[in-house]
Amino acid sequence: MTRSLRSFFLRSTKGAAAVETALIAPIFLAIMLAVVDYGSVFYLQHTMNTVANDVSRSFALGHMTTSEATTEAQSRLPNWNSATFTVTASTPSADDVQIVTTVPANEAALINFAPLGLDGDLSVTARKRKI
């Protein structure tokens, strides 16, 4: 009887899928959260780049003053996970205009699942020549 009971448990595959799922699901979930976190950071940086380029173009064409450019860029940035954006419009030389948009990297991640090497600030600079 002992031998038949041992062979039954060695051949039985009942519950194998549940055990495999329990082992793999946390790893899969962690990878998916990391992908969403990094994707949100890349999306935010792309949005910051687009806003800085558009506003610096209008600023360079003389359609805006420095304070208007700062306000316009600040208003076009997304309301993102209570992130604190810093926007600076300036004229570094007589022929150029510049928009710098900065956000702390730890506020840039949507989920902020893990630090993921996000230290310092995410910064985008758009510099255009005046016309």
Side-chain angles (χ1 to χ4, degrees):
M1 184 101 162
T2 308
R3 180 155 171 87
S4 64
L5 186 61
R6 187 178 340 145
S7 64
F8 171 76
F9 282 119
L10 291 177
R11 289 188 204 154
S12 177
T13 58
K14 290 182 179 179
V19 171
E20 291 170 1
T21 302
L23 292 173
I24 299 299
I27 297 168
F28 180 72
L29 184 62
I31 290 170
M32 292 307 297
L33 288 174
V35 166
V36 168
D37 241 6
Y38 269 116
S40 66
V41 169
F42 291 136
Y43 171 75
L44 182 62
Q45 189 167 14
H46 172 72
T47 303
M48 289 169 50
N49 192 27
T50 301
V51 168
N53 276 324
D54 290 347
V55 173
S56 66
R57 185 178 302 115
S58 294
F59 187 29
L61 291 172
H63 298 280
M64 306 180 176
T65 64
T66 305
S67 61
E68 290 172 339
T70 302
T71 304
E72 177 67 20
Q74 190 76 36
S75 69
R76 290 182 56 189
L77 290 169
N79 185 10
W80 187 268
N81 198 23
S82 69
T84 308
F85 294 97
T86 305
V87 178
T88 307
S90 62
T91 53
S93 70
D95 296 333
D96 294 335
V97 297
Q98 178 173 299
I99 302 285
V100 179
T101 308
T102 307
V103 66
N106 61 347
E107 295 177 9
L110 189 60
I111 299 172
N112 213 1
F113 172 65
L116 300 172
L118 299 174
D119 296 331
D121 294 334
L122 287 178
S123 184
V124 172
T125 303
R127 192 172 189 159
K128 304 279 190 261
R129 184 156 306 264
K130 287 183 185 178
I131 294 180

